[in-house]
């Protein structure tokens, strides 16, 4: 939704292990040598061709190739390298480097699918009576369960990065 609203390109995350799908209690001790490094792609779960009908969508590989020079992305960060890492690490080295690029990158860390919502372009506009009336119960459940933050002031950034809850290492 953010790419659509802001007229930007959606960059799909690299292939990484997903909790409860590639690792976690449901897969613990059930791996063979072939599946120990199992990862999943967004295209395993979402229809990327359908998304591309509405917004530009590129892979992490395509993003790194296209933007490496502009953002001075170190050569060691390839899509394969960015997609791997230990679950014991709080941050992957690329994630740490990316957060240091505050001139170009806005980390939208006040976003979490269960607790926070980014309102575009402002809380007042996103929560207008007319817009909330389109939601079940007039948006009451939407408003009551989440804290709001505004998407204003992001126009100056080349990249809006929506990490999952960093305190729980959701990516």
């Amino acid at each position: 939704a953010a790419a659509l609203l802001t007229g930007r390109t959606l960059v799909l995350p690299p292939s990484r292990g997903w909790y409860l799908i590639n690792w976690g209690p449901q897969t613990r001790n059930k791996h063979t040598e072939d599946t120990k490094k199992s990862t999943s792609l967004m295209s395993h779960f979402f229809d990327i061709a359908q998304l591309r009908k509405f917004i530009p969508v590129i892979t992490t590989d395509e993003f790194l190739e296209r933007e490496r020079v502009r953002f001075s992305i170190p050569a060691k960060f390839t899509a394969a390298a960015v997609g791997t890492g230990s679950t014991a690490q709080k941050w992957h080295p690329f994630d740490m480097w990316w957060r240091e690029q505050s001139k170009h990158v806005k980390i939208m860390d006040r976003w979490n699918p269960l607790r926070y919502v980014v309102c575009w372009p402002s809380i007042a506009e996103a929560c207008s009576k007319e817009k909330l009336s389109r939601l079940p119960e007039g948006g009451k459940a939407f408003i009551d369960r989440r804290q709001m933050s505004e998407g204003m002031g992001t126009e100056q950034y080349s990249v809006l990065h929506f990490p999952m809850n960093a305190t729980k290492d959701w990516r």
Side-chain angles (χ1 to χ4, degrees):
L4 179 66
L5 290 171
T6 62
R8 295 170 185 260
T9 298
L10 174 64
V11 179
L12 299 174
S15 176
R16 280 190 172 165
W18 288 30
Y19 181 68
L20 295 181
I21 294 174
N22 302 109
W23 59 273
Q26 293 183 353
T27 59
R28 187 175 295 138
N29 301 322
K30 295 178 186 173
H31 284 294
T32 65
E33 282 304 311
D34 292 335
T35 63
K36 276 186 181 175
K37 296 181 181 177
S38 171
T39 60
S40 294
L41 293 166
M42 287 288 164
S43 60
H44 295 157
F45 305 97
F46 300 98
D47 186 342
I48 305 306
Q50 188 67 21
L51 271 175
R52 285 189 170 123
K53 291 179 181 178
F54 302 97
I55 57 172
V57 178
I58 61 174
T59 65
T60 299
D61 269 326
E62 292 166 323
F63 173 79
L64 292 171
E65 182 179 316
R66 186 171 91 181
E67 304 293 353
R68 187 172 302 281
V69 173
R70 180 164 73 134
F71 295 126
S72 302
I73 300 171
K76 68 181 180 179
F77 296 130
T78 63
V82 170
T84 60
S86 164
T87 57
Q89 294 175 263
K90 180 166 183 178
W91 297 106
H92 185 280
F94 179 77
D95 297 328
M96 291 187 302
W97 177 84
W98 202 229
R99 287 175 176 276
E100 295 167 1
Q101 310 311 306
S102 59
K103 178 180 174 187
H104 300 291
V105 179
K106 171 68 175 164
I107 306 292
M108 305 296 288
D109 55 2
R110 291 288 297 171
W111 173 82
N112 175 301
L114 303 176
R115 299 182 77 189
Y116 303 101
V117 65
V118 176
C119 297
W120 192 270
S122 67
I123 293 172
E125 189 168 331
C127 295
S128 70
K129 229 178 200 179
E130 184 266 325
K131 289 192 177 167
L132 289 178
S133 69
R134 298 180 199 165
L135 298 173
E137 299 177 22
K140 183 173 175 17
F142 177 78
I143 299 296
D144 289 350
R145 285 186 257 168
R146 294 175 179 92
Q147 295 180 18
M148 312 272 172
S149 65
E150 294 194 352
M152 298 284 287
T154 56
E155 298 83 9
Q156 69 193 27
Y157 297 97
S158 301
V159 174
L160 300 181
H161 179 55
F162 285 85
M164 294 298 285
N165 185 327
T167 61
K168 295 187 179 191
D169 194 28
W170 299 344
R171 299 177 193 203

